Structures are given as C-alpha cells and as structure tokens.
C-alpha cells in the first residue's frame, strides 16, 4: 500500500535557506505520530513536549514552519483533546496563503477548532472568507484551484456566527445559482446560515428554492435535505407548505433513495397541517411499498403511512403487511427491531394489528439484545388496555423478576406509570393490583420504592374496597424481617405501616401486627419510617383497647391487651431517650397512652374507676376513626368564604395595629394563619401560631376580634365558625369512578375517589407547544414573508437587499398573511397584498401573474 | 448566544476496540471536555454489544448507528426519528471509499493520514448532510484533489 508521500518533509527541502535550519529541526507530522505511538506509557509527556514545541514553532514568521506546526496541533487537538484556541490567530494568518495545501490545512484547523463561543477572532476572517467564496468569479485563482470555495463553505457550516453569516450570505447566492459541483455544498452551507441568521432569508431563500428544480440531482437532493432540516421539530413546518408541489415533483421523479427518504420526511410534517396533501401522496407511497427493493425506503414509507395516513385503508394494509414481514425476519435483528418500532407506532388506532403480533412481542421481551427488549416493552405498554391489563402486567412483572437491574426497573417504571394514569384507569381488579404492587416491591433490584409506596397509600385513600387487601399485603411486608435491611424499601415499609395503622379494622390479628411493627430489626429503619411505625402502633393499640371494651373482637381480650402493653413498654421504652425528635415525640405519646390504659384489669369491674379510662379510650378511638380521604389540589379554592366573614377589612384593621408594635412583631406576621378547628386524624394538631410573641396590645386586639382569630384553646371554640369551614379532610363533591363500564367483568370495578377530573393531567404539553411556538418565530416568520411575498411578485423579481423597506413591508404584510394562510388563498387578497408590496420596489410583473400562480396551488391540492 | 442546530448527523466517530479515537468529526458545537465524555460513552456503549445484536443503540436523547469493521467501530449519532437503515448504508459507503482510496485500508493508514481522511469525509458529508452517494464520484473528486498536491 503505497501511501502518497508525506507532504511536509518533501516540500520543506525546497524551502529557502533562512528557514532551512528551522525546518531541519522541526519534526514533521509523521515524526510526531511515530513518537507518540512509540511509547504508550509516556504518552502524556511526549504530547506535552510536542505541544510546547508547537507553541514555539507556530509563532515563527515562516509560513511553512507555521503550517507544519498547525498540522501537528490539529492532529493533537482532534484526537487527544487539547484545546487549540491559542493558535486561533495563527490559523487566521495562514488562511490567505497562496499555497493550496497550506490553505487547506488552515481551513481544516479552523473548522475543527473555531466556534463563535470560544473564538472572538472569527470576525477577522470575514474578508478572507469573502475573497475565497467569490474566487471563482475572479479569473486569477479559478484555474489553479477550482474547488477553493468549498473550504470556506465548510467553515461556514461548522463554525459560523450570526454576524458572519449575514455578511457572507450574499456571496453564497452566485454559488447557489450556478450549476457546478459546488452547488450542493453551497446548499448545505446555506441551510446552516439560514438557521443561524434568519435575517438572511430574503437573500438566500429564493435561490434555495430554485435549487429544488435544478438539473443536478445532487443539488436537488441537498435542497430537499436542507428543507427537511429546516422544517424539523422544534422548528415550525408551516412556512414550507407552499413548497409542497415542488417536493411532490421530486418525490415522483427522483431516482435516488436518499432524496426520496428526505422528501417523505418533509411530507410527514406537512400532511398533518394540510390533510389534502395526504390524498396526493398516497399513490406514490403505495407504489414504493409494493415495488421498492430498498429496505430503507420501505421503512420510511411505512413510517410516513402509519403516522400521517391512518385513514387510507389500502395503504395501511400494505404498510401493516410490511411490518409483519419485518417482524418475522429471524436472521436480521435490525429488521426485527424496526418491525417492533413501527408496530408500536400503530397504537392506539390499530390495536388489532398489535394483538395479532402479541406472541412475537412477548418473545422479544426476553431477547438478549437490550435495544429489542426496550422496543418490545414499549409496544407491550401501548397494547395494554383494561381488558388485558392483568395479563400484560403480570407477564411484565414476572419478566422483571428475571431481568437485569436496569431493565427490571424500566419495566416496573412503565407498569407503575401506565397503571396509575388517570386515577388507575387501567385497573379493574384492585385486589390483584395491590398484590402486584407488593410483588414488585420484593423484586430484587427494585428501586421504585417511592412510587410503589405512593400508590399504596393513594389507593388506600381513594379505593375503599381495596383496603382489606391492602392490609393483607401490608402485613406480609411488615412481618418479613429480611426486608428491613433493604434501604430501597424503607418507604414501602413505612407505607405498609401507615396502612396497617389506618385501616387496622381490617386486620385479622392486631397482636401480630404490633409484634411486627416493634420487631428488633426495625432499628435499621431511618427516622421517618420509625416514626410512622410508632404512630401505627398507637393506632393499633387504641383500636384494640376499644374493641376490647366493646367486646367486638374475639381476638382481643385481657391477656392480649396486657401482652401488647408490656411489649410496647419494653421495646419502645428505651426509645424515649432517642435523639431524633420525631421518634421521641411519638414514643412519648405512645407511652403516655400505654400507662393510662395499663390499669384496665377487669372488664366487668368498677365502672367508676375504669370510667375515666373508658373515656380516654373512646376519645382516642374517635380521634382515629375519621376517615382520611384524598385532598384535591384545588380544595382551598373551593372553600367558600362565609358571608359574615369580612376578610379584607379584618386585615386592614390589623395593619394599623401592627404598625404600633416593634419590627420583630411585624416580621412574624406571616405566622398568623387561619386554622380550621377540626379534629385531625393525626394527633399532632398544630395549635395555632406559637411563634408570635405576645405583646399586650396584640392580646387585647385578639380578645376584641376573637371572631376572626380562632383561639388556640379547644374550649373557646366558636361552634358556628367551625361549621363554616369544611374540614380539611372532607372529600369534596366529586365524580365517581365508572362502575358500570365493563359488563362482562365478574367483579364490579370499585369506586375510585377522584376529586378534580384531570387533576393529574400534565400541563406540560400546553407549555411545550407554547415554547415551540416561541422558538424560531423569526425564522418561520421570515420564511412566510418570503414565500407568500414571492407569489405576489411573480417569477422574475430581484430581491433587494434593502432591509429597511423589507422591514416595513414585513410589518404591513404580516397581518394579512396570517389571515390568508388560514383560509383559502383568495386571488383578490393576493393581488392586494402583492400591490402593497410593490409599493416599495419597482414593479417587475403585472398583477396578472399573481392570478396565474395561485390556481396552481389550488389545483394541486384538489 | 447558544444556537440549537438541528443536524441530521451530529457526529461521526471512528474508534478501535481499546477506545482510542482514530477520527472524530462533530457537526454540532461541543466543548472539549464534553467531546471527551461523549467519545468515552459511545465507546462503552458499542464495544460490549454482541455482533448478533442490532446496530442501533439509544444514546442520551439520540441514536447511535454503528458497525464494526475489523478492529474499528464506525459510529454515527443521529436523531431519534432518522432512518436507521439509510445511515447504515452511509457508513458502509464511507468504508468502501476509504478502502478504495487506501487500497485495503487498515487502521494504521488512518492514523498516519488523518488529514486525508477528513478530506474524504468532507467530500461526502457537509454540515451533517449526506452530499454525495456515488462512490465513483467521490473517488474521482479525491483524485483531482490529489493532483493538486
């Protein structure tokens, strides 16, 4: 393999005497590479040494030395990640070099290392770039270097800034207009320039559009590609709608698969905006699907048909057949992957097709290739409906248990998200789902503890009928000592504890529960979880005592209670000195209650003595017997202000009062809040603003205005006031879940308490469309101007670069354009618009041409 | 000002099995440290994949289409919605051209002629867009450029 002679060393011999000495000592690129490769272990030091050499050499005045140094630096920088920015100026110095090799080198270095954000010197290159771009028109260098403009084109496309682009845009126009090997390159550079600098649109857009009709297929391909990129999301595809006829022509005539693919992509963005286009392209699409041998083209056709033309049954049938073909290619994993991907695109409109391939999808879940598994998972989730949710989810969870950690968590994540969507829309049998949640928590690599615990509690709050099953699942989780060591599960365990405490009435064995909640290994739990555990113990104890008094439960008798009490005392006692406030707090509460009821000896005993204890127990039980329900996000808004309550006035009074007090007082104002005086299920009722320092004037004020400030004491409650405020936990008027939907399901779907419909619907979609509309508005606006303005001008008009008149024209025309884009393009409107635009420039074409042009579009679409 | 450039091809990497980069061409602006990270991640992604697996992997919010030829991995990063099969063909075309140009190219050829490899690449992809799909045309162009040197 004879490689061409390494260029630096051969030319360096021919250099002038003065630099001979230099170059003899300068190492060439080859030398550098060889030395770097010679000793891998000392590579960093060799590179460092070379870099310092290069720094020295590059400052030399001899261009050859410089260029060799630059070449070496380029090598080091691109492959060994060293910043080249110190050489930026030298690179610029070499750009004007007459020697093509040096020029090429300099441009390469520039395109690899320049960027507007890192190189402030970029504007200095403007003149040189301008010279090089227009070199073909000057006779001097055109013969020796016919492809010279391609160099600056590359640089422009990679490293340009908005300023540079706007200065050089006019130079691109002759390159775009003349059919030459450079034309496709110019097109590619143009698209970059356009997206960087929308103000160049008037200059560049028309030549770009003309390239679509060029004889050179490469130019056409490049132009289609450029429009494909310009219309890609997040940009707005609407301005390119008028180009549809030309692109259609390309679609029908082009022989190149690449071009066809890009044209199809553009159509896939335009068809949603103009459904009539869909009817036009169905025919060529179907032809491709039937006849083309190129799998890439077939793939693109499938994607286009499925995403844009779902109503054209014939085309869909063809597409679905092809998808099945892809899925069944056992020998080529790429095709199978693509089959799965396109299959997923068929949901939700054509689920029957997905169902037919269920086997293949299920099998692909177990494929060793991660990419295929992912796609299969996506398709499975898309296929899951209420009817088959049990089957699908069980299968998936079972698969998760067998998979590696990453994929297992992905599966769990998708099952959790889709089942909880729309307030558990997919779940019909909550008992099954709850036990599935428990199963999920036990999967070895599960990291979704947060979501699982959230859902467990959420279901407990919303679905009454599921509570017994929840308690059962919770019990199993709590009893198992091995789970306590797993730090991913502690929030699941605290959810389980909360459920057991809250719904203890469904528990079969409270004693066992208490034992589980107090087992020794619970010391491994973090504070938050322990706090919940202890609180639950309190709830269970209260319940047991109460049921003992009521004699309602056979499980709870004297001995049981006694055992419970002693167990609690023994295990929890030491925690009373715990360092964590949360735990200590609850422990003390618990112990307090324990000591109070410890005196229950005999049920039938002296009522007087035990009377107080009964009372205590009853009150405690009453505390916990309120049902906690979900709180809507809009609950506060729904609280209607009672008529006799005058909010504004009250606070106005206060302000004059507060100004009398010192500054510290007013700063702590925010802590004066309205607390509805309700019996909260949790016993840590925050008793009003405690942080406000009581000064005499404020105390008096409060006494006077006791109506507005709810007192901190229970006794002085104004009863009518509490009635006015709905309690925090009360479930507000709601719409119940649909219980009558699935007739054939044996068990009726339980009621799911939803509060606001659409409470959890993400508002992000609306936000994102807003953002999309904001982005690139200047570009799409500018293009709209040009395209619709162009129709008014007729075929031959010269675009003046006079931006001032353009700017004025833009503003005036814009309003009209938006209207005309939406409706039919009435001839009269266009003519009117055209005439207005003509005011600013010479009148090239009579309005007649306008009338001729618009029917073309309309004919095309009909 | 940060520009969000939508580019069909975001970058092209040629890496050997040990993770050394033999060629890196970026069509979107990235800092040097980011480039380092990207090359490391892509290498890790592709080097462990079984030859029987698909040639497409997800990479951050994009897709990498790769193929292994002897000891080198050719990777192209494209948009999620791009046509995978078309880019696979693109990679193959590039390899065929290199092969023709260097006559049975081997890794060392690429190491010592890195600027020529950039030249070839630039003839055939500009601004992340595929320019020329005819092998013959590119080779002819390269011949002309050679004559100038």
């Amino acid at each position: 393999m004879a490689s061409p002679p390494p260029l630096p060393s051969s030319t360096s011999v021919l250099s002038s005497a003065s630099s001979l000495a230099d170059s003899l000592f300068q190492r060439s690129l080859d030398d550098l590479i060889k030395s770097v490769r010679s000793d891998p272990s000392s590579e960093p030091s060799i590179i460092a040494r070379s870099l310092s050499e290069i720094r020295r050499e590059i400052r030399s005045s001899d261009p050859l030395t410089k260029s060799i140094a630059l070449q070496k630096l380029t090598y080091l920088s691109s492959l060994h990640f060293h910043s080249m920015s110190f050489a930026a100026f030298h690179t610029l110095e070499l750009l004007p070099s007459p020697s093509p090799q040096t020029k090429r080198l300099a441009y390469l270095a520039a395109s690899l290392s320049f960027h507007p954000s890192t190189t402030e010197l970029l504007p200095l290159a403007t003149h040189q770039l301008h010279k090089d771009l227009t070199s073909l028109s000057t006779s001097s260098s055109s013969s020796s270097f016919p492809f010279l403009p391609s160099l600056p084109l590359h640089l422009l496309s990679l490293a340009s800034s908005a300023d540079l682009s706007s200065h050089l845009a006019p130079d691109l126009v002759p390159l775009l207009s003349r059919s030459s090997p450079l034309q496709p390159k110019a097109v590619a550079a143009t698209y970059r320039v356009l997206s960087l600098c929308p103000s160049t649109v008037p200059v560049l857009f028309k030549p770009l559009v003309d390239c679509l009709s060029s004889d050179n297929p490469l130019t056409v391909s490049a132009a289609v590609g450029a429009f494909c990129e310009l219309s890609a999301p997040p940009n707005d595809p609407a301005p390119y709608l008028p180009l549809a006829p030309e692109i259609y022509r390309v679609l029908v005539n082009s022989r190149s698969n690449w071009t066809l693919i890009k044209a199809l992509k553009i159509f896939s963005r335009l068809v949603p905006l103009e459904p009539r286009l869909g009817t036009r392209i169905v025919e060529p699409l179907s032809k491709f699907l039937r006849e083309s041998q190129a799998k890439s083209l077939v793939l693109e056709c499938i994607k286009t048909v499925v995403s844009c033309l779902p109503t054209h049954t014939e085309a869909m049938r063809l597409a679905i057949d092809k998808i099945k073909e892809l899925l069944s290619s056992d020998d080529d994993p790429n095709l199978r992957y693509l089959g799965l991907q396109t299959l997923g695109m068929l949901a939700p409109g054509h689920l029957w097709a997905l169902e037919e391939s269920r086997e293949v999808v299920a099998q692909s879940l177990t494929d060793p290739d991660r990419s295929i598994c992912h796609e299969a998972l996506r398709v499975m989730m898309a296929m899951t409906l209420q009817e088959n949710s049990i089957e699908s989810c069980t299968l998936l969870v079972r698969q998760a248990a067998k998979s590696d950690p990453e994929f297992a968590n992905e599966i769990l994540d998708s099952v959790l998200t889709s089942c909880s969507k729309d307030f558990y829309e997919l779940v019909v049998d909550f008992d099954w789902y709850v036990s599935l949640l428990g199963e999920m928590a036990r999967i070895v690599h599960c990291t979704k503890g947060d979501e699982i615990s959230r859902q467990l509690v959420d279901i407990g709050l919303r679905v009454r009928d599921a509570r017994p099953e929840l308690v059962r699942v919770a019990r199993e989780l709590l009893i198992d000592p091995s789970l306590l060591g797993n730090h991913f599960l502690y929030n699941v365990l605290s959810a389980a504890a909360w459920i057991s405490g809250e719904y203890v009435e469904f528990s079969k064995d409270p004693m066992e529960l208490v034992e589980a909640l107090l087992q020794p290994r619970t010391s491994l739990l973090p504070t938050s979880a322990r706090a919940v555990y202890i609180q639950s113990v309190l709830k269970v104890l209260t319940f047991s005592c109460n049921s003992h008094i009521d004699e309602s439960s056979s499980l709870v008798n004297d001995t049981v209670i006694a055992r419970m009490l002693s167990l609690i005392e023994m295990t929890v006692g030491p925690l009373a000195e715990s360092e964590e406030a949360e735990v200590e707090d609850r422990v003390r509460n618990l112990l307090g209650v324990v000591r109070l009821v410890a005196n229950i000896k005999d049920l039938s005993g002296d009522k007087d003595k035990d009377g107080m204890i009964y009372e205590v127990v009853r009150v405690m039980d009453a505390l916990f017997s309120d049902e906690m329900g979900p709180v809507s996000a809009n609950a506060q808004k729904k609280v209607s202000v009672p008529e006799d309550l005058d909010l504004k006035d009250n606070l106005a009074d206060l302000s004059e009062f507060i100004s009398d007090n010192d500054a510290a007082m007013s700063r702590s104002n925010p802590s004066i809040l309205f607390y509805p005086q309700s019996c909260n299920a949790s016993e840590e009722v925050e008793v009003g603003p405690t942080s406000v320092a009581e000064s005499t004037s404020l105390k008096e004020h409060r006494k006077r205005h006791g109506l507005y400030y709810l007192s901190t004491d229970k006794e002085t409650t104004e009863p009518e006031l509490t009635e006015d405020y709905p309690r925090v936990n009360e479930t507000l008027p709601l719409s119940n879940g649909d219980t009558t939907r699935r007739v054939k399901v044996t068990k009726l779907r339980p009621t799911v308490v939803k509060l606001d419909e659409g409470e959890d619907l993400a508002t992000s979609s609306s936000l994102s469309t807003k953002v999309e509309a904001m982005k690139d508005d200047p570009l799409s606006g500018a293009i709209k101007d040009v395209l619709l303005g162009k129709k008014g001008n007729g075929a031959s008009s010269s675009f003046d670069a006079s931006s001032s008149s353009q700017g004025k024209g833009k503003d005036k025309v814009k309003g009209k354009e938006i209207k005309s884009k939406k409706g039919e393009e009435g001839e009269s409107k266009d003519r009117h618009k055209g005439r207005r635009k003509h005011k600013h420039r010479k009148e090239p074409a009579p309005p007649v041409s306008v009338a001729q042009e618009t029917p073309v579009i309309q004919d095309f679409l009909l | 000002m940060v520009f969000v450039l939508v580019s069909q091809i975001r970058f092209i990497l040629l890496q050997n099995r040990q993770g050394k980069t033999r060629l890196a061409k970026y069509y979107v602006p990235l800092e040097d440290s980011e480039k380092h990270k990207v090359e490391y991640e892509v290498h890790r992604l592709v080097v462990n994949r079984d030859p029987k697996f698909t040639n497409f992997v997800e990479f951050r919010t994009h897709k990498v289409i790769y193929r292994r030829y002897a000891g080198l991995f050719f990777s192209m990063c494209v948009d999620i919605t791009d046509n995978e099969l078309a880019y696979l063909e693109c990679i193959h075309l590039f390899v065929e051209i290199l092969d023709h140009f260097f006559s049975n190219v081997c890794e060392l050829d690429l190491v010592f002629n890195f600027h020529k490899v950039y030249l070839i690449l630039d003839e055939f992809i500009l601004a992340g867009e595929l320019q020329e799909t005819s092998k013959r045309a590119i080779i002819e162009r390269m011949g002309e450029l050679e004559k100038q040197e």
Side-chain angles (χ1 to χ4, degrees), chain A residues 584-618:
Chain A
E584 188 189 337
D585 205 4
R586 288 159 213 243
V587 159
R588 284 178 189 265
N589 288 335
L590 180 56
L591 286 177
V593 172
V594 161
R595 279 172 203 143
L596 261 178
V597 300
N599 295 320
I600 290 185
K601 292 231 158 72
D602 191 4
L603 190 57
S604 56
D606 191 1
K607 243 318 191 128
D608 278 347
K609 179 174 117 183
D610 295 328
M612 214 167 57
I613 296 174
Y614 286 170
E615 280 311 302
V616 169
V617 169
R618 290 250 187 261

Side-chain angles (χ1 to χ4, degrees), chain A residues 510-777:
Chain A
M511 183 63 209
E512 182 192 51
L513 253 184
V514 173
E515 280 177 346
L517 286 168
L518 292 175
Q519 60 182 295
R521 272 173 72 94
T522 54
S523 56
L524 294 170
L525 288 171
T527 321
S528 51
R530 286 210 91 174
V532 178
Y533 268 53
I534 298 199
Q535 187 70 353
S536 297
V537 168
L538 178 57
K539 291 180 190 171
V540 174
L541 176 64
T542 320
F543 172 76
S544 313
C545 292
N546 201 44
S547 48
H548 174 57
I549 293 178
D550 283 347
E551 290 174 52
S552 51
S553 170
S554 55
L555 286 170
V556 183
N557 54 32
D558 250 358
T559 39
V560 169
I561 298 273
R563 262 178 56 210
M564 216 186 263
L565 292 173
S566 62
L567 175 64
I568 295 176
E569 185 108 41
M570 194 175 61
T571 49
V572 159
L575 287 177
E577 308 300 316
S578 157
E579 283 171 345
E580 284 119 29
E582 287 280 308
V583 171
E584 188 189 337
D585 205 4
R586 288 159 213 243
V587 159
R588 284 178 189 265
N589 288 335
L590 180 56
L591 286 177
V593 172
V594 161
R595 279 172 203 143
L596 261 178
V597 300
N599 295 320
I600 290 185
K601 292 231 158 72
D602 191 4
L603 190 57
S604 56
D606 191 1
K607 243 318 191 128
D608 278 347
K609 179 174 117 183
D610 295 328
M612 214 167 57
I613 296 174
Y614 286 170
E615 280 311 302
V616 169
V617 169
R618 290 250 187 261
V619 165
M620 294 294 298
D621 191 59
L623 263 183
F624 292 137
S625 62
D626 278 348
E627 185 178 319
M628 278 180 81
V631 180
S632 154
N634 299 324
Q636 182 61 56
K637 286 194 209 137
K638 293 188 183 166
V639 173
S640 52
V641 179
E643 283 144 24
D644 53 345
L645 186 63
D646 215 352
L647 285 173
K648 294 243 163 52
D649 276 350
N650 176 34
L651 293 179
D653 287 351
L654 182 57
S655 65
E656 83 187 34
F657 230 107
I658 291 299
S659 57
D660 293 335
N661 304 336
D662 59 0
M665 182 60 61
S666 44
R667 236 184 290 127
S668 53
N669 260 344
S671 60
I672 300 172
L673 299 166
F674 285 98
Y675 277 108
Q677 192 69 35
S678 65
C679 298
N680 220 319
S682 146
E683 65 180 8
E684 311 100 44
V685 169
E686 243 72 88
V687 278
T690 47
S691 57
V692 177
E694 304 275 303
S695 92
T696 44
S697 49
L698 195 60
K699 224 193 251 174
E700 278 169 41
H701 177 87
R702 278 177 153 195
K703 281 204 190 106
R704 249 181 290 147
H705 297 265
L707 183 62
Y708 302 121
Y709 289 104
L710 299 174
S711 60
T712 61
D713 231 345
K714 269 192 197 179
E715 278 85 62
T716 58
T717 303
E718 309 270 25
E720 58 269 33
L721 217 55
T722 49
E723 245 87 87
D724 287 337
Y725 290 94
R727 302 205 298 218
V728 166
N729 294 327
E730 195 168 4
T731 62
L732 298 167
L734 47 81
S735 58
N736 281 340
D738 191 15
T739 50
T740 57
R741 193 183 314 166
R742 296 277 142 224
V743 181
K744 58 180 178 175
V745 170
T746 49
K747 194 165 151 193
L748 274 183
R749 187 170 182 262
T751 325
V752 178
V753 170
K754 314 176 190 186
L755 287 173
D756 321 80
E757 283 294 334
E759 185 180 301
D760 68 349
L761 288 179
T763 49
S764 60
S765 55
S766 59
L767 279 173
S768 61
T769 47
K770 232 199 286 173
V771 169
E772 277 170 51
M774 301 296 274
K775 252 194 197 171
D776 232 39
D777 237 3

Side-chain angles (χ1 to χ4, degrees), chain A residues 6 9 27-40 46 75, chain B residues 108 111-112:
Chain A
S9 30
R27 293 193 298 150
S28 68
L29 176 64
D30 271 4
D31 297 334
L32 171 65
I33 298 178
K34 284 189 195 130
S35 64
V36 167
R37 287 171 62 83
S38 62
D39 191 4
I46 296 179
Y75 175 79
Chain B
L108 227 47
V111 173
F112 279 96

Side-chain angles (χ1 to χ4, degrees), chain B residues 60-101:
Chain B
R60 300 188 182 175
T61 53
H62 313 288
K63 229 183 327 210
V64 164
I65 299 177
Y66 74 97
R67 199 176 231 173
R68 183 168 147 201
Y69 291 86
L72 274 181
F73 288 95
F74 285 70
S75 311
M76 277 192 185
C77 177
V78 299
D79 198 51
I80 290 263
T81 55
D82 278 334
N83 190 317
E84 295 91 335
L85 294 175
Y87 282 105
L88 214 47
E89 285 175 28
C90 176
I91 292 180
H92 192 70
L93 180 63
F94 185 40
V95 173
E96 280 190 335
I97 294 172
L98 284 176
D99 199 36
H100 183 101
F101 197 73

Side-chain angles (χ1 to χ4, degrees), chain A residues 49-340:
Chain A
R49 190 161 48 90
S50 314
L51 271 176
S52 56
E53 271 177 23
I54 290 170
R55 277 180 202 261
R56 196 174 31 88
E57 289 164 8
I58 209 165
R59 278 184 254 130
S60 137
S61 50
D62 170 42
L64 270 162
T65 322
K66 247 186 160 62
S67 61
I68 295 171
L70 189 61
Q71 195 180 38
K72 291 194 285 190
L73 184 58
T74 313
Y75 175 79
L76 281 181
S77 162
S78 64
L79 298 179
H80 294 271
F81 310 110
H82 289 281
S83 163
M84 259 182 78
S85 41
F86 68 84
F89 189 69
H90 304 290
T91 311
L92 284 171
E93 276 190 310
L94 286 175
L95 278 181
S97 158
S99 141
Q101 299 97 305
T102 319
K103 224 177 170 57
R104 199 181 286 282
L105 212 62
Y107 268 107
L108 179 64
S111 62
L112 285 177
S113 65
F114 277 15
H115 187 258
S117 60
T118 53
T119 315
E120 299 91 29
L121 299 175
L122 201 53
L124 294 177
T126 314
H127 183 66
Q128 185 57 39
L129 290 177
H130 170 70
K131 264 183 62 182
D132 289 333
L133 275 174
T134 50
S135 66
L136 290 184
S137 35
T138 63
S139 51
S140 53
S141 45
S142 58
S143 49
S144 58
F145 205 165
F147 297 117
L148 174 55
S150 69
L151 298 174
L153 285 173
H154 275 279
L155 181 57
L156 253 185
S157 66
L158 285 173
S160 180
S161 67
D163 281 335
L164 197 62
S165 307
S166 59
H167 285 302
L168 295 173
D171 298 328
L172 285 174
V173 178
L175 291 170
L176 282 175
S177 327
R178 190 183 346 168
S179 184
S180 76
L182 287 169
Q183 206 182 18
K185 289 194 203 259
V187 169
T190 306
Y191 126 69
R192 282 283 175 136
V193 165
L194 277 175
S195 50
L196 274 178
C197 185
S199 63
T200 56
V201 167
V203 177
L204 290 174
F205 202 73
K206 188 169 181 308
L208 189 61
V209 173
D210 288 339
C211 289
L212 275 176
S213 15
S214 160
D215 293 327
N216 182 350
L218 287 178
T219 312
V220 173
S221 176
V224 174
F227 287 116
C228 187
E229 286 310 306
L230 285 171
S231 61
N235 302 330
D236 176 22
Y240 307 97
L241 212 41
L243 297 173
E246 270 119 39
I247 303 186
Y248 178 78
R249 211 170 18 85
V250 170
L251 188 65
V252 177
N253 295 330
S254 174
R255 299 248 162 275
S256 153
N257 286 338
W258 270 101
T259 319
L260 291 171
I261 289 174
K262 287 188 225 175
L264 281 177
K265 278 193 128 158
I266 299 183
F267 272 115
S268 70
R269 288 172 201 141
L270 292 180
V271 168
L273 300 172
E274 179 59 73
R276 291 181 289 173
L277 278 177
T279 351
R280 291 289 283 182
I281 61 170
V282 150
E283 226 179 272
L285 269 179
S286 311
K287 190 163 82 90
F288 293 143
L289 277 173
R290 265 190 292 259
E291 298 168 1
S292 173
Q293 294 297 322
K295 292 224 161 55
S296 50
L297 182 59
V298 168
L299 176 67
E300 198 64 38
C301 289
I302 297 174
K303 282 187 182 171
T304 316
V305 169
V306 168
S307 56
C308 307
L309 306 174
T311 51
H312 291 86
T313 38
E314 175 66 23
M316 282 300 285
R317 195 181 57 76
L318 274 173
I320 293 178
D321 283 342
K322 287 283 171 187
I323 293 180
K324 295 232 172 88
E325 232 180 80
L326 285 175
L327 274 176
S328 58
S329 27
D330 289 322
D331 50 344
D332 191 343
N334 288 337
L335 295 179
R336 248 186 315 131
Y337 171 85
L338 293 169
L340 280 172

